[in-house]
Amino acid sequence: MTHLLKIKKMSFKVYTIINISDLSNIDFSEVGETSQDTIRRSLDGTQFVIKYNTEPSFISNGSVVPLQTLTHSETLILMQTSDWSEQLPE
Amino acid sequence: MAIVINSTTGEIDLDASTAGTYTVTYTVQGVSSNQQVTINDLDNAGFSYSASSYEPTDADPTPTITGLTGGTFSAGSGLVFVDSGTNTGSSTGEIDLSASTVASYTITYDTTSSGSSVCPNTSTQTVEIALATLSNNKSIDFDGVDDYIDAGNVLNFEYNQAFSISSWVNANAVTGTKNIFNKYDSSATRGFLYSIYSNCGSCSNRINLLISNKSSGSISGRKAIELYTSHIIPLNSWNHVCITYDGGSLASGVNIYLNGVSQSFTVSRDTLGSNTILNTESLKIGGISSYMDGKIDELAVWNTELTSTQIQSIYNATGTNVTERLTDIESSNLKLWYRMGDGDTFPTVTDNAESNDGTMTNMDSSDIVNDTPS
């Protein structure tokens, strides 16, 4: 049995980190996240992630100013930091 | 018709002779004496099944005996005949397909027990009992950031209940822990969780299982089974991972198979005891706290321990765009089977075992991809 390596597909190209105080300004119909109940929050609860391909209106009109705008690879690195990932006990 | 005989000793070569009645003459000093010798054919032990391969769900096949009737059928261990209830002593040869183990068998018909037998004989036929394969064209791709499938509060296995989890995984990268399958309350550190794990110092990409009542806080207060495999799981390729647990509250009751091969593992905790692992969290695939970066396909859960033979058959039946029909394996104990894209309409991931459909969360339809184990 062989196992073929195939090219990775990315459904969302832009990831942003948003301050939790802006949560109520997020229109979830414009982002990849399902709802405010399913977002990934930082461990201290002060930030969260959203992702999109087309810049949402709440960002383009200045209602929400991202703390960081990242690629997928950059986001993966950030998510491994102690601010975002609680390691299982060893 | 001929008889082959040594003219000096009179020894008859039965293998070289053909059946028939012969007069053998012995002559010495011009005096002859005769004796009639009859060479009988071996019994005709011919039989045949209608096919060389069957599925467990097919109608039980009975062979046609083309030779002498009244003999008995036998086969290797694992095959079950309808009339005898085991693999020997069958007079009909009818195979109980659903009761037999998936494998290839040599079935023997022996005429010894036939009342008409003159020269007992045997014949054999190979019959394979194989699971039907299923078209497999899609898997689900997780971004490692916040993608997951939410199945709701289902599969509440207790510490003393056996279970098996079968999955195909294709991980892009593993830093820390990538959770693949869990029913786990992170606050109470209670439940069960299967992940790819790189948290053990110099180790990386190990398959990790946590069955926990409490896995944090003081060492003495932790009640959990936690272990990780010695062998790494290769990245950027499809691998079949199957985990079984016997419900015995000990790490020794866990087996982990990678691509059909049982793995050795390191036990970091074995203190679960008779402590509940029940919780009210959703069963999630792809993430809790740490998220899977890669693809998952054909994920299934049974409330029983699968055997190594069953696990190998799942692995072996999977090839380019085909996979195992998992309802053929311990169907009454199959509690969840997500095809992971095949037959699914975003955002619903259909449960092909019961009715525990999942919901793709923080994902979109393009996360169902045309990439499967091959």
Side-chain angles (χ1 to χ4, degrees), chain B residues 192-303:
Chain B
F192 57 92
L193 187 154
Y194 142 45
S195 61
I196 303 177
Y197 181 76
S198 293
N199 276 357
C200 43
S202 60
C203 83
S204 60
N205 310 340
R206 313 303 169 112
I207 302 163
N208 170 246
L209 178 68
L210 174 65
I211 304 172
S212 173
N213 168 266
K214 182 173 178 57
S215 64
S216 62
S218 67
I219 296 292
S220 61
R222 298 180 189 181
K223 306 295 182 188
I225 296 170
E226 185 165 18
L227 50 87
Y228 56 86
T229 55
S230 305
H231 191 77
I232 67 169
I233 183 169
L235 300 180
N236 297 307
S237 64
W238 282 104
N239 295 277
H240 183 244
V241 178
C242 191
I243 297 172
T244 68
Y245 169 61
D246 69 357
S249 289
L250 291 171
S252 58
V254 174
N255 284 295
I256 299 179
Y257 297 84
L258 176 62
N259 296 327
V261 178
S262 180
Q263 302 292 299
S264 60
F265 49 73
T266 298
V267 177
S268 49
R269 199 160 10 260
D270 199 4
T271 57
L272 179 59
S274 301
N275 294 287
T276 186
I277 62 169
L278 297 179
N279 62 77
T280 58
E281 291 297 310
S282 287
L283 185 152
K284 292 178 180 175
I285 296 159
I288 175 175
S289 303
S290 288
Y291 292 77
M292 172 68 173
D293 178 16
K295 305 173 196 75
I296 302 174
D297 198 13
E298 302 298 332
L299 189 143
V301 183
W302 291 259
N303 63 354

Side-chain angles (χ1 to χ4, degrees), chain B residues 3 112 127 229 238 281 309 319 333:
Chain B
I3 185 170
T112 301
V127 170
T229 55
W238 282 104
E281 291 297 310
T309 301
N333 298 108

Side-chain angles (χ1 to χ4, degrees), chain A residues 56-74:
Chain A
S57 60
F58 56 81
I59 291 180
S60 57
N61 68 17
S63 299
V64 173
V65 178
L67 299 172
Q68 294 182 77
T69 300
L70 304 167
T71 65
H72 176 246
S73 298
E74 292 168 338

